[in-house]
Amino acid sequence: MAPTPAPAGTGWTAGRILALAAGSVLLLISLALIAGGATLVWADTLQIHSGYVTTTTVTYSTSGYALASDSITMHSVGLFVDEVRIRITSSDPSRPLFAGVAASGSVERYLSGVSYTTVAGHEVTDHPGTGVPAAPAAALPWAARAQGIGNLTLTWAVRDGDWTVVVMNTDARSGLSVRADAGISALALTWLASELLADGLLTGLVAGVLIVVPVRL
């Protein structure tokens, strides 16, 4: 007996397979967008309570003349980040500290040949040198600066460019140890979180249609 032919329109056609594959990819994108939006909602909640989304406090020390951040690239970041705040506490409350933000190229020239330490998160790198730097306050055209005894708060309105944060003793003597944290203020967080969540839900809806329809057929 000849086999009964399958009803028209049944089976996994190339079109249905492509639809299912596209739906699966879109579903992953949807989940990533929703996760990103949820993370920004969490960050925005922290910002509402404290004004800044802030890192944990970390202790840094150097036997050299300065603690400096890695070069921080801020090209177009100002669209999302309005202000950066750095809080610094000296381990020696009686010793005046200086903290400043300046163009990375200017800082590199200022610290050239000088013993100092760069910090990036929890990682530190020592740079040997025999030079003695000038006192920092008048040494560079700082974009933002703070100095004093004990606790310092450095706030900087973000501008495009490559920037470096420097912490030193005000008299440029060697050796210092500080505790520091960094925070950002971003007025666009709420808008960006909403956009990501909306895009994620819309993408998820499209993914659901592309997955469900071929399976049910």
Side-chain angles (χ1 to χ4, degrees):
M1 179 182 295
T4 303
T10 62
W12 282 96
T13 65
R16 291 176 183 173
I17 293 173
L18 288 175
L20 182 60
S24 300
V25 172
L26 287 177
L27 180 60
L28 292 176
I29 294 174
S30 169
L31 293 175
L33 290 171
I34 292 173
T39 300
L40 290 181
V41 169
W42 168 79
D44 192 41
T45 301
L46 292 181
Q47 179 177 257
I48 289 172
H49 289 303
S50 66
Y52 294 86
V53 180
T54 307
T55 66
T56 57
T57 302
V58 181
T59 299
Y60 301 105
S61 60
T62 182
S63 59
Y65 291 95
L67 290 166
S69 71
D70 280 345
S71 180
I72 304 168
T73 298
M74 289 293 189
H75 299 289
S76 299
V77 175
L79 295 174
F80 305 105
V81 178
D82 303 296
E83 191 174 74
V84 173
R85 180 192 67 186
I86 301 172
R87 296 183 295 191
I88 303 160
T89 302
S90 173
S91 60
D92 182 355
S94 65
R95 180 177 291 188
L97 290 180
F98 175 91
V101 178
S104 295
S106 298
V107 173
E108 288 176 6
R109 290 188 291 272
Y110 173 52
L111 297 178
S112 178
V114 169
S115 174
Y116 70 101
T117 299
T118 54
V119 301
H122 294 270
E123 298 182 6
V124 298
T125 304
D126 293 325
H127 303 270
T130 58
V132 178
L140 293 178
W142 301 99
R145 50 183 282 179
Q147 64 184 70
I149 297 174
N151 301 322
L152 295 184
T153 299
L154 174 66
T155 56
W156 171 52
V158 171
R159 289 157 40 193
D160 279 0
D162 298 319
W163 304 92
T164 299
V165 181
V166 178
V167 180
M168 300 176 63
N169 295 307
T170 55
D171 57 2
R173 77 173 73 176
S174 62
L176 70 155
S177 178
V178 300
R179 289 171 55 81
D181 65 50
I184 63 169
S185 171
L187 297 179
L189 275 184
T190 301
W191 170 82
L192 187 57
S194 299
E195 285 292 312
L196 288 177
L197 289 173
D199 290 345
L201 292 174
L202 180 60
T203 305
L205 180 61
V206 175
V209 171
L210 290 174
I211 292 173
V212 170
V213 171
V215 170
R216 290 183 64 88
L217 288 176

